[in-house]
Amino acid sequence: MRLSKRQLSALETMGIPAWQERVPTDFPKAQDQVPTEQFVPVNEGVSETSVPEAETALPIQDTSTWDWSTLEAAVRDCQQCSLHVGRSQAVFGAGSQQADWMLIGEAPGEEEDKQGLPFVGRAGQLLDRMLAAIGLKREQVYIANIVKCRPPGNRDPKPEEAAACSAYLKRQIELVNPRVILVLGKVAAHHLLDTEEALGKLRGAPYLYADTGIPVIVTYHPAYLLRKPSEKRKSWEDLKLAVKLAGGNL
Ligand code: URA
């Protein structure tokens, strides 16, 4: 099947070489509903998690009644894990609170820690191009991270750090109530879906977030795509699936 001009231009925006125009595009039409049985409930079909218990158990606060300003103030002042020691500031999240799309990354990096905004470094620039490829601007989506404070040396967040932050992210998801959640990268996927499955196995099928009907799509982290541009083609397939689940059209 030939790609439309719009799809070709989307591929170009993401920096996918023109030869990939021959990639099969036999996706169902975007407006088609995905049958419920195609959803993989979180933790079903993936191996048992062995994420270790937090070494120092921290109280998970009940954030379920918090509004945006209460939530943001709590994150700004948060000292629930040791990441607060090294941060310049917490990176709460950004974008439209009414967004259809929620994007979830791993943790702020150096630039995000400086600016207080998610995905503003090089990976963020590629993320903007990925969004542009599906006709979205960053202001139209909501972007958050698993942990709100930069881990030292950009290491992966530890399980206890993710656990300490999880009630904040959960409330962000409840408040936005998006039509689709796009999870960026292995680390974010492992924490959000509570699995240790390889990213290559997690992508390509929709999951459901917790007890909600919100579909979750896993794709590669833009920082990984910068290192391995040949994987952008798979990421483009993930974006198309997410568009379909969000009820959109390409
Ligand atoms: N990588 C992430 O996972 N999140 C950011 O905000 C920036 C880089």
Side-chain angles (χ1 to χ4, degrees):
M1 187 192 288
R2 288 189 66 77
L3 294 179
S4 67
K5 275 192 185 161
R6 190 160 166 214
Q7 286 171 322
L8 278 172
S9 133
L11 291 181
E12 199 182 335
T13 307
M14 280 182 65
I16 300 176
W19 57 265
Q20 281 165 350
E21 136 181 24
R22 284 176 296 167
V23 166
T25 53
D26 51 353
F27 269 74
K29 287 199 182 71
Q31 60 270 36
D32 288 350
Q33 290 291 321
V34 174
T36 323
E37 61 271 19
Q38 284 187 21
F39 285 95
V40 182
V42 168
N43 268 343
E44 194 175 292
V46 293
S47 58
E48 280 293 301
T49 177
S50 58
V51 175
E53 286 291 307
E55 280 159 23
T56 49
L58 290 159
I60 299 294
Q61 305 188 51
D62 178 9
T63 54
S64 61
T65 57
W66 293 8
D67 62 12
W68 279 108
S69 55
T70 309
L71 186 58
E72 183 157 3
V75 169
R76 301 252 169 255
D77 293 341
C78 183
Q79 300 196 349
Q80 286 217 58
C81 80
S82 57
L83 289 184
H84 78 275
V85 176
R87 74 180 177 214
S88 308
Q89 56 193 316
V91 178
F92 177 64
S96 165
Q97 295 171 353
Q98 288 81 40
D100 284 346
W101 285 64
M102 183 149 178
L103 275 54
I104 300 179
E106 175 184 329
E110 187 177 8
E111 203 50 44
E112 290 77 21
D113 176 73
K114 269 189 208 149
Q115 296 190 36
L117 291 167
F119 281 99
V120 286
R122 276 189 70 223
Q125 288 161 19
L126 176 56
L127 184 61
D128 286 345
R129 293 203 296 281
M130 291 164 70
L131 288 171
I134 51 169
L136 291 172
K137 294 191 169 64
R138 87 160 36 212
E139 305 75 54
Q140 293 173 283
V141 304
Y142 193 87
I143 308 178
N145 281 307
I146 295 287
V147 297
K148 314 301 187 202
C149 299
R150 182 190 180 202
N154 293 344
R155 64 158 169 74
D156 292 351
K158 295 180 181 169
E160 62 268 30
E161 294 159 354
C165 237
S166 67
Y168 300 137
L169 179 63
K170 180 171 182 284
R171 186 63 185 148
Q172 284 175 305
I173 296 171
E174 283 166 3
L175 285 168
V176 176
N177 191 21
R179 293 172 75 110
V180 68
I181 296 174
L182 185 67
V183 180
L184 303 165
K186 181 185 75 174
V187 174
H190 284 180
H191 287 298
L192 198 80
L193 302 181
D194 194 14
T195 177
E196 292 199 326
E197 192 62 271
L199 189 131
K201 292 210 170 133
L202 289 173
R203 54 171 295 278
Y207 297 82
L208 288 178
Y209 172 69
D211 296 331
T212 70
I214 305 173
V216 176
I217 294 293
V218 177
T219 194
Y220 293 106
H221 194 287
Y224 172 77
L225 294 176
L226 286 172
R227 293 193 302 274
K228 211 152 179 233
S230 58
E231 300 287 55
K232 284 183 186 175
R233 183 180 60 83
K234 291 188 197 153
S235 198
W236 168 240
E237 298 298 326
D238 301 333
L239 289 177
K240 285 195 294 181
L241 180 55
V243 166
K244 183 159 59 86
L245 293 169
N249 211 340
L250 271 180

